[in-house]
Amino acid sequence: MQCGDVIYRSTLPQNDGLTITAPGVALALSAVSYLWATPGVAPGFFDMFVLAFAERLFRPTFRKDDFVLGKKLGEGAFGVVCKASLANPEAAEKQGDVVVKKATEYGAVEIWMNERVRRACASSCADFLYGFRESKAKGKGAEEYWLIWRFEGEDTLYDLMQSKEFPYNVETKILGDVQDLPKGISRENKIIQTVMRQLLFALDGLHSTGIVHRDIKPQNVIFSEGSRTFKIIDLGAAADLRVGINYIPKEFLLDPRYAAPEQYIMSTQTPSAPSVPVATTLSPVLWQFNRQLKRCDYDLEAWRNLVEPRANAELRRGFDIMDLDDGIGWELLTSMVRYKARQRISAKAALAHPYFNREGLLGLSVMQNVQLQLFRATQKDYSELARWVVGLMAKSGTEDAGGFTEAQLQELREIKPKKGSAQRNVLASVLRVQRKIVKTINESMDELASQRKSIWWSRWIPRE
């Protein structure tokens, strides 16, 4: 062997450890950002496979015989809610009163959602204790789900709003004392600000953990006497976007009085119609809720100009409250109630709105205060970035800059191939393929939902 053919391993470059490169760091940061982006893939896996399992080992267990049902608190389409106490006197004294809901069709969904909320954002919703499935003999009807919460109070926001004293009847409840202000719109505005802030924080907590409630209304907001805050209840219509539970495309579980305009259709869960004469008589009542806004093309400014001249005293007072501080409340309202969902402000962004910055941070914990201030600081940068991107898109979307307008893009989607215009044909083909892919995915999701035979996530719910 010639000595020139021998290459000693010691002469090769040595790799002493992990080599950090700029592309590698960028890729790692991108992966981490994706895993922790809303609704949170990594936290979702940890919650489902670690926290849920550990919680199951230590949480209390109940049977239906452990409870003595008392006063009925409410009844809905999917269950009956009662105040109750534990049958064991010693346990009852230690635990205190509870709220029991006996549900049927959507009980499994509600147990799943309440378990998730208790682990991820407990302060957003009522304090959930336990949920189980009641075993029934064959031929005895559908299975029944029992859900148990800690009793925190009976007053819903709807009940409080029915009082002639509203909003003064909630002043001491949420602020702890009467404000040193005369009765009037300024004092009422501070109370309403606090109520709205508590609701938005609760809603943001749900959204941050990947849960969309889909039935927010005063009846589904309860006042917790212990924490002196408003909390969200009734998660039977909620959807868990991390794993797709209770999300069925083109199907809505909603109250038409509070539904967003684009969802203003009859719910698939709407009870069967009454007799024809009764249905005909009552139908204008249902649709009147949406008629005025629709007539104004869902433009709140136009709607206000239409109704304000002949508004009653209560509605005028509402306009006066929103017009305080140069109309900052009206500005927030118009940003929250927009026809196009993508243009609506989020709960987190609403909390950062100047409407909540004029009077300080009423009723917030230290962590909520820090989170809000951090978001406000970063929101300024996001706003500048958004304006820059929008300006860039507008500039490049004009013929003068060599781009396409929205009308031209729509025309390209429908254009037929022509000879001598290869670039234009390629772009049109890409847009058509994109549209076909989206359509195929939507149709596949609909087919999977229609073929669903059982609620798979209900298997982990304990039986009685």
Side-chain angles (χ1 to χ4, degrees), residues 6 35 39 42 52 96 131 142 146 197 210 229 261 289 313 341 368 397 408 416 420 432:
V6 178
L35 292 175
W146 285 55
R197 185 181 293 110
T229 58
F289 294 116
Q368 288 175 331
Q408 288 172 325
K416 294 181 178 179
R432 281 197 298 271

Side-chain angles (χ1 to χ4, degrees), residues 9 69 108 150 163 166 170 173 176 189 230 235 286 307 335 342 364 368 376 383 424 450-451 458 464:
R9 188 175 299 274
L69 300 184
R150 200 181 310 279
S163 171
F166 185 81
V170 302
K173 288 177 176 289
N189 185 48
F230 284 96
L235 300 175
L286 175 66
V307 302
S335 65
R342 291 184 178 275
L364 295 185
Q368 288 175 331
R376 279 180 175 155
S383 300
R424 188 178 178 90
S450 64
Q451 292 178 356
S458 67
E464 182 193 15

Side-chain angles (χ1 to χ4, degrees), residues 155-183:
D155 291 332
T156 65
L157 181 57
Y158 176 81
D159 298 330
L160 296 168
M161 290 174 65
Q162 297 309 300
S163 171
K164 294 181 180 179
E165 295 298 316
F166 185 81
Y168 299 108
N169 59 337
V170 302
E171 185 175 28
T172 56
K173 288 177 176 289
I174 57 178
L175 298 179
D177 200 358
V178 176
Q179 300 175 83
D180 188 19
L181 289 172
K183 281 193 173 183

Side-chain angles (χ1 to χ4, degrees), residues 157 160 166-179 187-199 221-231 361-364:
L157 181 57
L160 296 168
F166 185 81
Y168 299 108
N169 59 337
V170 302
E171 185 175 28
T172 56
K173 288 177 176 289
I174 57 178
L175 298 179
D177 200 358
V178 176
Q179 300 175 83
R187 181 172 164 185
E188 293 177 18
N189 185 48
K190 289 192 68 174
I191 301 171
I192 293 170
Q193 274 182 322
T194 307
V195 174
M196 283 294 297
R197 185 181 293 110
Q198 290 182 358
L199 291 179
V221 177
I222 193 169
F223 181 74
S224 171
E225 297 173 355
S227 61
R228 289 213 315 241
T229 58
F230 284 96
K231 294 184 176 183
L361 301 174
L362 297 174
L364 295 185

